[in-house]
Each structure stands twice: as C-alpha cells, then as structure tokens.
Amino acid sequence: EWNWEKSEKEFLKALAINPSDAESRVFYAHLLVILPRYDEAIPQAQLALELDPLNPNMKIWASVVLSAVGDFKSALELGEEVAATDPNYYMAYAVIENAAFYCGDYNKVMEAAKHLLAEKVDFKEVDRIFGESGFVAANEEILRQLELIAQNGFISPVNMWCRYLMVDQADKAMEWIEKGFEVRNPVMPYIATPGFLCEPLFDNPRFIEIIKKMNLPLPVSEPASTQ
C-alpha cells in the first residue's frame, strides 16, 4: 500500500505483544531504514541478531540494514558466513554481490553473480571477457544475455537496474526501476537508501517521481555511518 505510517503502527503492535520476536524486530529495522531513520534501525537489527543469533535468515536480513547504513564490510562478512554454511542460500549471494561491489572486490562480485545467474547466463564467456577486458565489460555481457531473455521471459527488475548502475548506464537502470515500480518489486522501497546502488539517480527527476509515488522521503546523499 506504500502506507509507512500504518506499517509502523502494526510493527509496534507486534513488538508490544512479543518484544522477543526477532523477525518482527528485524523487519521493523528495514522499515526504519527506508524512512530513513538509520540511528533507530541499527539497534533494532542488532537486537534481532541477539535474539536469534544462529538463524541464517536473521543474518541476511540484518545485513540489509548494515548495507543501508554504509557498513558494507560487516554486511559482506555476514553474507559470506551464511554462504559458507549453506552454499545454496540464494540471498546470501545477493548480499555478497552488493556489499563486495561497494568494497571494490570485483572478483567476489563476479563469483556471487555466478550463483545468482547460473541458470540464465553463459559464464564461460563472461569469465573470458572479465579476464581480458575487466569488470565493466563482463557485466555488459551479462546484461546483453539477460536482455535477450527479457524479450520473451521474466527477468527481475532489480537484477537489471543494479547491473546497469554497476556499469554507469543510468538511463537503462532508470528504465528497469520504472518497470520495478509497475510490478511492485519488493526491493522498490529500498531504492532511496544509500547502499542499494541507486545513488547516481538520487537527483534524477524520474527517480524522484517514483519515490514520491511510493510516499517515501526524498533520498539522502550519505548513509548514517560509512565503514
């Protein structure tokens, strides 16, 4: 509904009933992140981890908060911790890919992409290009292959706009963000949060229009703390 005031009231009701419900607490932290109320979000995520420290889902959900406040190193560590115990945990690689990009570790970005896109992309060709021409060229090849699939099938908009932003193609990224808004992609509320790759679009009129349609505060240029 893009109704964040109503959402917060419901979270607070749930937490009043059961303050030890880690899942409600970590997703309340997500809501605080997108509002953006980073100083409130961080302790909620930390408490969720303390309440359910062995739950891999909790680690991944908390890592989203860490990324949003600029602590990419800690987010990367949590993602890698989960992937080490469960090599098939899809969201762990999404966390690794995003955080590793901000950390400048492009080898880890590409390795995570293999887990995320193994069924869609010919990584033999991507690896060849990566070795010969580098990160941007390799991602452009991934995008070329995904665009072909998108002509006749579904590709998640977030997969596309993040990759276009990784290669500095803001206009193409914007097209996919608009598609994401049309289908109400669940990542859409996070796009105005530092740490989700969209910083180059923060002053884009089309981007700002979507933020307004989602009833979110206009994006801020800096996370609460940078690690």
Side-chain angles (χ1 to χ4, degrees):
E1 299 173 6
W2 314 128
N3 187 335
W4 314 113
E5 182 179 356
K6 177 182 175 182
S7 177
E8 182 165 17
K9 288 178 180 178
E10 297 298 330
F11 274 120
L12 292 175
K13 283 181 186 178
L15 290 169
I17 293 168
N18 183 3
S20 297
D21 182 23
E23 187 170 323
S24 292
R25 203 164 284 284
V26 79
F27 283 121
Y28 180 42
H30 280 220
L31 174 66
L32 293 170
V33 155
I34 68 173
L35 282 178
R37 288 153 54 187
Y38 304 123
D39 290 342
E40 297 174 70
I42 295 168
Q44 293 291 336
Q46 290 172 336
L47 182 53
L49 278 174
E50 292 170 9
L51 289 166
D52 199 359
L54 300 181
N55 186 338
N57 293 330
M58 205 60 56
K59 293 176 183 178
I60 293 303
W61 294 332
S63 74
V64 173
V65 176
L66 291 170
S67 285
V69 300
D71 190 353
F72 304 113
K73 183 173 181 280
S74 296
L76 180 58
E77 289 172 356
L78 277 179
E80 291 181 322
E81 184 179 325
V82 172
T85 57
D86 184 357
N88 295 316
Y89 196 115
Y90 182 89
M91 281 304 299
Y93 297 104
V95 168
I96 292 169
E97 182 181 52
N98 183 72
F101 177 78
Y102 279 99
C103 291
D105 192 333
Y106 299 133
N107 287 310
K108 286 185 178 179
V109 175
M110 296 305 297
E111 285 302 310
K114 290 179 183 179
H115 289 275
L116 295 168
L117 299 170
E119 297 179 0
K120 296 181 175 69
V121 172
D122 174 11
F123 273 96
K124 289 183 180 179
E125 179 64 9
V126 172
D127 284 344
R128 182 191 67 79
I129 294 172
F130 184 49
E132 292 179 0
S133 304
F135 178 76
V136 170
N139 266 283
E140 287 175 340
E141 173 60 21
I142 291 174
L143 283 161
R144 185 191 68 81
Q145 294 187 37
L146 292 177
E147 286 283 8
L148 289 175
I149 296 172
Q151 290 177 9
N152 298 300
F154 177 78
I155 294 291
S156 176
V158 64
N159 282 335
M160 300 300 286
W161 82 58
C162 285
R163 292 181 197 290
Y164 274 118
L165 288 167
M166 285 180 181
V167 298
D168 295 324
Q169 294 189 36
D171 287 343
K172 290 293 294 184
M174 196 64 240
E175 290 176 14
W176 280 96
I177 287 172
E178 288 169 340
K179 291 176 183 178
F181 177 78
E182 290 171 8
V183 301
R184 288 182 176 253
N185 183 279
V187 181
M188 286 301 298
Y190 301 84
I191 63 172
T193 302
F196 284 82
L197 299 169
C198 293
E199 291 93 332
L201 298 172
F202 279 3
D203 60 353
N204 184 304
R206 292 161 63 191
F207 186 86
I208 291 171
E209 182 63 24
I210 286 178
I211 297 302
K212 290 179 178 178
K213 288 178 179 178
M214 290 193 290
N215 300 315
L216 285 170
L218 293 178
V220 293
S221 58
E222 295 293 339
S225 63
T226 302
Q227 302 292 325

